[in-house]
């Protein structure tokens, strides 16, 4: 009997989850098993998440997309967040992170896991203050781990835990001036607890205790980057690199216990630094799958950060990132609504697909080739059917009707697709 997907892979066992992933990704079962065994692919699949249709994240697989949602004190609407989750599933996201930080988080989390066929992640630190109903300073080490265990019991497939921000890394933050300090919510809470109590990060100091929980339920650890840059000024600085080195060390310790690991990455970063950062992560963290927020390639576009993020995400994934966390137009401004969420998902899916083309993922180009063939045939119904957002494509088409159905209002009778087809078929041509 195996304990985790990694344990099974090391033993030469092909699990049902591996079979599903191999079939969806058009990858050989034995190659997939080897990559899971080596930690270069993870299949987050908590054994208590019975509604899950498992996905793989990592080398040689399609770039996956995560959606963040969850209730907060200022926007406490569980039904709306569940509606967002359903919409995210319909829009073909592969993961949802529940970032709820107020109220009956467990009720929401359980409902989400019960209804979701896609993987669910959480950040237990967000839940600690509300669940324990006490001031941050007064939370004990045992209580922190009780929150982690509860999330695992509920069926969470992967958890972001900021294990690598130890006292040494915290000193880097204090000794190297940043414009935006720590922008990770979970990282800042943990940093504050460490400073208030003059103690080491409990998830670093008692890392084996975390591994015990993850091994028991087959929870994938997403090693959170507390020191991710929150501005392009702060990218690739000593604190970020110090934490990344520690993440690599913790990755090997997790693998020794057959616990699957993802590495979380930046943040905000200028375009010319992205490729080098992807290489650093893969090198320092031994090829573990890389999960990035963006990166956002400029800091000046509130209201349009789904675009700044998609630019960075496409570059990051084409250079080795495996998992993109979506960013919406509401980033830095407010909790996203349903429309914001859709914009963020579509932008991130475009980035992921663009990267898959660059990485040569088998079958990725087929979609583009089908669209190009439909355009060459001036087949607008087929173009709409193939669109990443058919709803929007159809609306745009219907809002501006051309004189001739086999053209659009941009070119009309001068449509190059239509005219080239006629000329090459030896037909007469009139563009008057």
């Amino acid at each position: 009997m195996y304990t985790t997907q990694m344990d099974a892979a090391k033993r030469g066992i092909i699990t049902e989850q591996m079979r599903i992933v191999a079939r969806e990704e058009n990858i050989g079962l034995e190659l997939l098993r080897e990559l899971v065994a080596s930690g270069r692919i993870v299949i987050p699949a908590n054994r208590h998440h019975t509604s899950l249709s498992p996905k793989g994240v990592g080398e040689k697989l399609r770039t996956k997309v995560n959606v963040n949602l969850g209730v907060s004190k200022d926007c406490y609407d569980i039904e709306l967040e569940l509606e967002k989750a359903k919409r995210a599933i319909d829009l073909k996201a592969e993961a949802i992170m529940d970032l709820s930080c107020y109220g009956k988080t467990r009720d929401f989390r359980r409902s989400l896991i019960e209804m979701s066929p896609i993987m669910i992640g959480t950040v237990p630190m967000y839940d600690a203050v509300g669940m324990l109903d006490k001031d941050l300073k007064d939370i004990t080490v045992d209580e922190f781990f009780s929150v982690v265990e509860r999330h695992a019991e509920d069926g969470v497939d992967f958890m972001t835990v900021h294990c690598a921000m130890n006292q040494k890394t915290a000193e880097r933050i204090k000794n190297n001036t940043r414009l935006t300090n720590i922008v990770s919510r979970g990282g800042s809470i943990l940093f504050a607890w460490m400073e208030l109590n003059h103690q080491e990060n409990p998830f670093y100091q008692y890392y084996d205790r975390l591994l015990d929980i993850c091994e028991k339920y087959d929870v994938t650890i997403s090693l959170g980057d507390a020191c991710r840059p929150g501005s392009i000024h702060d990218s690739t600085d000593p604190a970020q690199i110090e934490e990344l080195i520690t993440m690599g060390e913790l990755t090997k310790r997790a693998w020794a216990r057959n616990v699957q690991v993802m590495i979380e990455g930046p943040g905000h970063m200028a375009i010319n630094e992205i490729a080098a950062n992807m290489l650093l992560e893969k090198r320092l963290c031994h090829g573990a799958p890389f999960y990035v927020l963006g990166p956002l390639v400029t800091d000046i576009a509130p209201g349009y950060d789904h675009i700044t993020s998609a630019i960075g995400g496409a570059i990051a994934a084409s250079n080795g990132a495996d998992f993109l966390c979506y960013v919406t137009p509401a980033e830095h401004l407010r909790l996203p609504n349903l429309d914001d969420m859709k914009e963020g998902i579509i932008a991130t899916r475009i980035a992921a697909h663009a990267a898959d083309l660059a990485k040569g993922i088998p079958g990725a180009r087929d979609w583009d080739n089908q669209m190009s063939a439909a355009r060459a045939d001036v087949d607008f119904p087929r173009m709409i059917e193939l669109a990443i957002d058919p709803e929007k494509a159809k609306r745009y088409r219907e809002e501006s009707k051309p004189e001739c159905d086999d053209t659009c209002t941009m070119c009309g009778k001068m449509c190059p697709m239509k005219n080239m087809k006629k000329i090459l078929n030896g037909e007469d041509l009139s563009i008057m």
Side-chain angles (χ1 to χ4, degrees):
M1 180 64 180
Y2 61 88
T3 56
T4 68
Q5 294 294 318
M6 176 175 261
D7 181 37
K10 287 179 180 179
R11 293 170 182 257
I13 298 170
I14 302 293
T15 67
E16 181 59 26
Q17 290 84 356
M18 292 179 203
R19 294 185 188 280
I20 293 169
V21 171
R23 186 165 58 247
E24 287 190 356
E25 299 279 355
N26 194 28
I27 185 174
L29 261 175
E30 182 57 25
L31 176 58
L32 176 67
R33 185 198 64 75
E34 290 175 0
L35 291 169
V36 173
S38 68
R40 288 177 289 166
I41 286 177
V42 297
I43 303 177
N46 187 315
R47 55 178 52 89
H48 287 183
H49 188 178
T50 56
S51 62
L52 179 69
S53 178
K55 303 291 182 186
V57 179
E59 191 176 315
K60 301 186 183 300
L61 306 183
R62 289 182 299 105
T63 306
K64 303 306 188 296
V65 171
N66 172 73
V67 170
N68 290 340
L69 48 78
V71 294
S72 68
K73 186 174 183 179
D74 290 316
C75 297
Y76 188 71
D77 189 335
I78 288 177
E79 291 306 314
L80 175 59
E81 296 308 301
L82 285 173
E83 180 61 29
K84 287 182 185 178
K86 293 172 186 174
R87 188 71 168 135
I89 294 165
D90 290 342
L91 289 168
K92 301 180 181 178
E94 285 90 8
I96 293 171
M97 285 203 79
D98 171 19
L99 305 187
S100 296
C101 57
Y102 179 78
K104 293 183 179 179
T105 57
R106 192 174 203 189
D107 291 346
F108 174 68
R109 183 168 60 251
R110 284 178 160 177
S111 296
L112 183 62
I113 291 166
E114 183 178 357
M115 58 82 70
S116 176
I118 64 178
M119 52 187 163
I120 301 297
T122 60
V123 187
M125 282 298 297
Y126 292 1
D127 197 22
V129 174
M131 174 182 151
L132 299 169
D133 195 23
K134 61 196 303 186
D135 288 338
L136 176 63
K137 182 181 179 181
D138 298 328
I139 297 176
T140 67
V141 170
D142 286 345
E143 287 172 330
F144 276 135
F145 280 100
S146 73
V147 177
V148 172
E149 180 118 33
R150 178 171 289 190
H151 282 225
E153 287 173 352
D154 289 343
V156 169
D157 302 298
F158 65 98
M159 283 191 274
T160 294
V161 188
H162 300 90
C163 306
M165 189 185 64
N166 54 21
Q167 291 284 9
K168 186 178 178 182
T169 307
E171 285 302 311
R172 294 283 190 191
I173 287 285
K174 290 186 277 188
N175 295 333
N176 294 272
T177 303
R178 282 181 154 194
L179 274 179
T180 49
N181 295 312
I182 293 178
V183 298
S184 161
R185 193 189 335 175
S188 66
I189 294 169
L190 194 52
F191 180 89
W193 184 90
M194 292 164 64
E195 291 291 300
L196 290 169
N197 289 284
H198 307 289
Q199 290 190 43
E200 181 57 276
N201 176 354
F203 297 111
Y204 176 77
Q205 186 173 3
Y206 304 106
Y207 186 58
D208 285 333
R209 188 169 175 181
L210 177 65
L211 297 179
D212 288 341
I213 296 171
C214 292
E215 184 181 20
K216 180 179 178 182
Y217 298 94
D218 198 1
V219 174
T220 298
I221 297 178
S222 186
L223 286 171
D225 54 335
C227 299
R228 71 171 181 264
S231 61
I232 59 171
H233 175 275
D234 296 343
S235 63
T236 324
D237 72 349
Q240 181 194 335
I241 301 305
E242 177 84 51
E243 185 178 40
L244 188 62
I245 292 169
T246 306
M247 286 178 174
E249 296 167 351
L250 295 177
T251 296
K252 293 182 80 172
R253 287 177 60 186
W255 287 349
R257 293 283 304 277
N258 298 318
V259 173
Q260 301 183 101
V261 176
M262 294 188 290
I263 307 296
E264 293 192 8
H268 292 233
M269 181 167 289
I271 284 175
N272 61 311
E273 295 181 46
I274 294 174
N277 268 263
M278 301 306 107
L279 180 63
L280 269 176
E281 184 279 338
K282 289 291 183 177
R283 178 65 176 152
L284 294 175
C285 296
H286 321 292
F290 203 13
Y291 173 29
V292 296
L293 178 68
L296 282 69
V297 296
T298 179
D299 301 331
I300 53 85
Y304 297 90
D305 276 328
H306 60 310
I307 297 174
T308 66
S309 172
I311 294 168
I315 297 168
S318 65
N319 282 280
D322 307 287
F323 196 13
L324 302 180
C325 185
Y326 93 145
V327 172
T328 77
E331 184 78 5
H332 302 112
L333 300 171
R334 62 167 168 78
L335 194 74
N337 61 27
L338 279 165
D339 290 337
D340 299 326
M341 190 191 74
K342 179 180 178 180
E343 290 292 314
I345 293 173
I346 296 298
T348 310
R349 284 189 59 209
I350 292 169
H353 180 68
D356 289 347
L357 294 174
K359 289 191 283 192
I361 297 297
R365 282 184 179 266
D366 294 349
W367 188 4
D368 295 76
N369 292 342
Q370 289 174 48
M371 177 64 83
S372 295
R375 285 176 175 153
D377 289 338
V378 204
D379 185 345
F380 284 97
R382 179 61 173 158
M383 287 184 239
I384 290 168
E385 179 187 344
L386 288 166
I388 197 166
D389 183 1
E391 182 182 287
K392 187 172 186 178
K394 182 179 181 181
R395 174 165 55 85
Y396 272 40
R397 175 71 178 163
E398 291 178 348
E399 283 177 352
S400 186
K401 292 285 189 180
E403 179 184 355
C404 302
D405 286 341
D406 58 352
T407 64
C408 76
T409 54
M410 173 67 79
C411 297
K413 290 185 178 180
M414 293 185 182
C415 173
M417 295 294 192
K418 175 181 176 180
N419 293 339
M420 284 300 299
K421 189 175 181 180
K422 283 192 170 186
I423 289 295
L424 292 173
N425 286 337
E427 300 176 28
D428 289 335
L429 177 65
S430 172
I431 59 175
M432 297 297 293

